[in-house]
Amino acid sequence: MQQKLQTRAFEQVAPILQPGEQPLVATRAMVGKFSAGRLGTVVSQAVIVEGGGLLGAALASTGKQFVVLTNHRLIFLSQTFLGGPGKNVLGEVPREQLSLVEVKMGIVSLLRLSFGTPGDGVALSFPRVDKKNAESLAEALQQAPIA
């Protein structure tokens, strides 16, 4: 089932890919606030979208999304009612501004991503059924971007 959803996500982003850009991993995730630590202090968040606007708060407030990692950027898509990738691009972050800050794998897996400026980013959480997807995304994020 995941392979089918990933293929559909790749098809959704195909029209907006730049020359030489290749999709690597796609998965559904709950997008939430980037927490600064165990005390739960919420710090600012930001996502660079086409046109240079900031919309981290909007990304975190929409919750369930589909994320597609390419060799150039991380793209946030809406999620359909049935959990598949939607057509709306909610935001994107260039790979050179993206770093994996924390990985926690368990019943609910968590990836914290930082965007360029310290303290900016989002937390991606994955239910148990999507644990393998979280592991694939974490592995791909730890690899250097391919030009």
Side-chain angles (χ1 to χ4, degrees), residues 6 11 23 49 58 78:
Q6 179 170 273
E11 290 168 356
V49 291
S78 59

mmCIF file of all heavy atoms in Angstrom, residues 6 11 23 49 58 78:
data_model
loop_
_atom_site.group_PDB
_atom_site.id
_atom_site.type_symbol
_atom_site.label_atom_id
_atom_site.label_comp_id
_atom_site.label_asym_id
_atom_site.label_seq_id
_atom_site.Cartn_x
_atom_site.Cartn_y
_atom_site.Cartn_z
ATOM 1 N N GLN A 6 3.244 6.302 -2.392
ATOM 2 C CA GLN A 6 4.475 7.011 -2.741
ATOM 3 C C GLN A 6 4.496 7.325 -4.242
ATOM 4 O O GLN A 6 4.832 8.437 -4.651
ATOM 5 C CB GLN A 6 5.706 6.199 -2.347
ATOM 6 C CG GLN A 6 7.010 6.885 -2.711
ATOM 7 C CD GLN A 6 8.211 6.200 -2.116
ATOM 8 O OE1 GLN A 6 8.572 6.490 -0.999
ATOM 9 N NE2 GLN A 6 8.830 5.308 -2.861
ATOM 10 N N GLU A 11 3.819 11.344 -8.602
ATOM 11 C CA GLU A 11 3.061 11.834 -9.756
ATOM 12 C C GLU A 11 2.495 13.231 -9.493
ATOM 13 O O GLU A 11 2.446 14.064 -10.401
ATOM 14 C CB GLU A 11 1.924 10.864 -10.093
ATOM 15 C CG GLU A 11 2.408 9.540 -10.660
ATOM 16 C CD GLU A 11 1.327 8.477 -10.738
ATOM 17 O OE1 GLU A 11 0.175 8.711 -10.271
ATOM 18 O OE2 GLU A 11 1.630 7.380 -11.253
ATOM 19 N N PRO A 23 12.471 12.746 -7.178
ATOM 20 C CA PRO A 23 11.866 12.416 -5.889
ATOM 21 C C PRO A 23 12.558 11.192 -5.301
ATOM 22 O O PRO A 23 12.905 10.259 -6.019
ATOM 23 C CB PRO A 23 10.404 12.132 -6.228
ATOM 24 C CG PRO A 23 10.369 11.888 -7.694
ATOM 25 C CD PRO A 23 11.577 12.514 -8.298
ATOM 26 N N VAL A 49 8.407 29.036 0.938
ATOM 27 C CA VAL A 49 7.530 28.633 -0.147
ATOM 28 C C VAL A 49 7.904 29.436 -1.379
ATOM 29 O O VAL A 49 8.657 30.387 -1.314
ATOM 30 C CB VAL A 49 6.035 28.875 0.191
ATOM 31 C CG1 VAL A 49 5.580 27.943 1.264
ATOM 32 C CG2 VAL A 49 5.779 30.312 0.572
ATOM 33 N N ALA A 58 1.154 27.836 9.511
ATOM 34 C CA ALA A 58 0.073 27.275 8.700
ATOM 35 C C ALA A 58 0.305 25.795 8.456
ATOM 36 O O ALA A 58 -0.620 24.992 8.504
ATOM 37 C CB ALA A 58 -0.037 28.023 7.377
ATOM 38 N N SER A 78 -0.897 18.614 0.623
ATOM 39 C CA SER A 78 -2.094 18.321 1.405
ATOM 40 C C SER A 78 -2.318 16.811 1.387
ATOM 41 O O SER A 78 -1.715 16.091 0.585
ATOM 42 C CB SER A 78 -3.300 19.047 0.804
ATOM 43 O OG SER A 78 -3.491 18.649 -0.542
#
